[in-house]
């Protein structure tokens, strides 16, 4: 079982460049999430989706856009990257918002903006 | 304002002894709590959870205790093993809050556990 797959695993961007991070899950989960992890900051929710075609803002949405055109995919876009967006990005999914068993996370994308 | 606090950035214990990781929360509407474990270069993995209607949940070597009056929970690992060395995140949600809460998980900053052989 692949679970949650994130691509790419590593990326270096120059300030002002754009990119899209892809998250794919094969568990037929309805809910998907994008988090960022920064040293000493824990995991912070960027955007999330409660189903195909839906998106919503999380705690730190500024500078990011998302799309959920297909149930299995959740894309995170950076239109004009900034050094403050250097972080490790984690995608997660869950069957419902009642997370008795929690979220399933991907292995992360390490992004550096120079 | 941080709603879920893990005040110890790191903890070091000897193999075979007990590890106790602590977590405090401020939002009284939180009603479900989870612990995640994270190894370097991997995503967090779910470890154990507890509902606010309970004060203890046990799964093998892992036990989570909840003290609602103190807004405090702890994760006990007994006995600790070197393979337990990882970062542990506490997370909370207000799953059944009627209003003003958020069903989305709120994470603490994590505690790095090192179990020495």
């Amino acid at each position: 079982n692949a679970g949650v797959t994130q691509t790419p695993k590593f990326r270096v961007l120059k300030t002002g460049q754009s990119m899209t991070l892809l998250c794919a899950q094969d568990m037929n989960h309805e809910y998907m999430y994008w988090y960022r992890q920064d040293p000493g900051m824990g995991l912070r929710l960027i955007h999330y989706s409660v189903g195909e075609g839906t998106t919503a803002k999380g705690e730190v949405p500024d500078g990011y856009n998302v799309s959920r055109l297909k149930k299995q995919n959740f894309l995170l876009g950076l239109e004009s990257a900034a050094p403050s967006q250097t972080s490790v990005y984690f995608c997660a999914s869950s069957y419902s918002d009642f997370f008795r068993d929690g979220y399933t996370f991907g292995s992360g994308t390490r992004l550096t903006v120079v | 304002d941080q709603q879920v606090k893990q005040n110890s950035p790191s903890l070091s214990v000897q193999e075979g002894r007990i590890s106790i990781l602590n977590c405090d929360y401020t939002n009284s509407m939180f009603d479900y709590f989870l612990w995640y474990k994270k190894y370097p270069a991997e995503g967090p993995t779910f470890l154990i959870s507890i509902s606010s209607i309970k004060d203890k949940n046990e799964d093998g070597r892992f036990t989570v205790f909840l003290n609602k009056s103190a807004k405090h929970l702890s994760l006990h690992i007994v006995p600790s093993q070197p393979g337990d060395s990882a970062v542990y995140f506490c997370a909370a949600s207000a799953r059944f809050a009627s209003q003003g809460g958020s069903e989305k998980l709120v994470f603490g900053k994590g505690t790095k556990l090192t179990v020495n052989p």
Side-chain angles (χ1 to χ4, degrees):
Chain A
N1 290 334
V4 177
T5 303
Q6 292 183 234
T7 53
K9 294 190 183 302
F10 304 94
R11 186 71 185 270
V12 178
L13 281 181
K14 292 183 178 179
T15 298
Q17 285 185 319
S18 63
M19 78 163 294
T20 300
L21 283 68
L22 172 62
C23 176
Q25 54 94 2
D26 61 1
M27 297 170 286
N28 201 34
H29 283 172
E30 288 291 338
Y31 293 69
M32 298 187 75
Y33 315 84
W34 276 106
Y35 283 87
R36 61 180 286 175
Q37 185 193 11
D38 302 294
M41 296 296 291
L43 290 157
R44 293 183 293 170
L45 182 64
I46 305 171
H47 286 280
Y48 64 98
S49 168
V50 301
E52 181 178 318
T54 74
T55 63
K57 293 180 180 180
E59 179 185 358
V60 288
D62 294 341
Y64 305 95
N65 56 76
V66 288
S67 64
R68 183 100 181 266
L69 298 179
K70 293 183 178 181
K71 184 177 183 178
Q72 63 267 33
N73 295 335
F74 195 28
L75 279 63
L76 178 71
L78 288 73
E79 290 187 346
S80 179
S84 61
Q85 294 178 303
T86 294
S87 188
V88 181
Y89 292 86
F90 288 101
C91 176
S93 70
S94 62
Y95 180 72
S96 72
D97 61 349
F98 180 56
F99 18 68
R100 186 186 302 277
D101 296 323
Y103 296 167
T104 301
F105 281 86
S107 58
T109 295
R110 183 174 293 276
L111 175 66
T112 302
V113 183
V114 297
Chain B
D1 183 30
Q2 198 178 3
Q3 298 186 70
V4 177
K5 301 178 182 179
Q6 294 179 257
N7 292 320
S8 297
S10 63
L11 174 68
S12 183
V13 299
Q14 286 299 119
E15 180 177 6
R17 305 295 294 267
I18 184 172
S19 295
I20 301 176
L21 295 94
N22 294 304
C23 178
D24 297 294
Y25 61 95
T26 57
N27 189 341
S28 59
M29 288 188 288
F30 284 148
D31 49 30
Y32 206 79
F33 305 90
L34 304 89
W35 284 94
Y36 281 82
K37 176 179 181 180
K38 184 184 179 303
Y39 293 117
E42 295 184 10
T45 55
F46 170 75
L47 188 59
I48 192 170
S49 63
I50 187 168
S51 166
S52 59
I53 62 173
K54 296 185 176 182
D55 56 15
K56 176 183 174 182
N57 188 27
E58 193 171 354
D59 184 2
R61 297 186 296 114
F62 302 90
T63 302
V64 56
F65 295 91
L66 175 62
N67 183 332
K68 286 177 59 180
S69 61
K71 294 188 178 69
H72 176 83
L73 65 157
S74 59
L75 174 68
H76 293 210
I77 306 173
V78 184
S80 300
Q81 299 174 353
D84 295 329
S85 297
V87 176
Y88 289 79
F89 289 100
C90 173
S93 78
R95 174 64 181 87
F96 297 108
S98 58
Q99 60 182 347
S102 170
E103 70 280 11
K104 301 300 170 283
L105 285 180
V106 179
F107 287 84
K109 294 183 178 181
T111 296
K112 183 178 182 180
L113 172 67
T114 302
V115 180
N116 301 302

